[in-house]
Amino acid sequence: MSTGSHDYCNVRRVAIVGAGVAGLQAADELVKVGIKEVVIFEGSDSVGGVWRENYAGFGLQVPNELYEFPSFNPSSSDETWPEFPSGKQVQCYIERFADAHNLKQLVRFKTRIVKISPTASNKWSLSAQMPDGQKQDQEFDFVVIAT
């Protein structure tokens, strides 16, 4: 697989830390270019990032067309997408995007990354605290920090 002048055919596994807007968008693009395994680590039990945690009672301060996933129309559901949607509406939009692109299947919910370190083989070792409290180490070609 190649995108422009970059060749990523040796990239097999990419970890993404965070299942908010940036993490989901990164995962979607990585899947599109053919990365074999994309894993999103999310400390909570759902997608949405700050929209789920902090902005539920707030809303967009810019017109909605400046805050859309490429080629994913926020008005594609039964819900009307106002010019300045509420935090709850943005959260629903994020969840619809994740569902429509099958991204939730890539997420390891309630899993926190406790350590990231480079390996001798030019990869990355991630230590994750699993939902049951156990720690699990895994190796990835690249890591995207999207928190």
Side-chain angles (χ1 to χ4, degrees), residues 78-132:
D78 295 334
E79 182 180 341
T80 303
W81 183 252
E83 185 175 8
F84 296 96
S86 70
K88 183 178 178 182
Q89 289 170 312
V90 173
Q91 175 63 23
C92 288
Y93 171 64
I94 295 167
E95 290 179 21
R96 285 196 326 268
F97 174 80
D99 289 336
H101 293 256
N102 298 313
L103 298 174
K104 288 182 181 176
Q105 68 186 10
L106 305 177
V107 183
R108 295 194 184 155
F109 291 108
K110 295 185 177 182
T111 303
R112 297 193 180 277
I113 300 302
V114 294
K115 183 178 180 183
I116 301 173
S117 53
T119 69
S121 61
N122 293 321
K123 295 185 185 248
W124 294 93
S125 175
L126 272 71
S127 181
Q129 184 174 1
M130 308 307 286
D132 63 3

Side-chain angles (χ1 to χ4, degrees), residues 14 28-29 51 69 76 127 136:
V14 176
D28 190 49
E29 292 301 316
W51 289 102
F69 291 106
S76 60
S127 181
Q136 184 182 72

Side-chain angles (χ1 to χ4, degrees), residues 28-40:
D28 190 49
E29 292 301 316
L30 289 167
V31 169
K32 284 179 188 174
V33 299
I35 300 300
K36 302 284 186 247
E37 186 178 357
V38 177
V39 179
I40 305 170

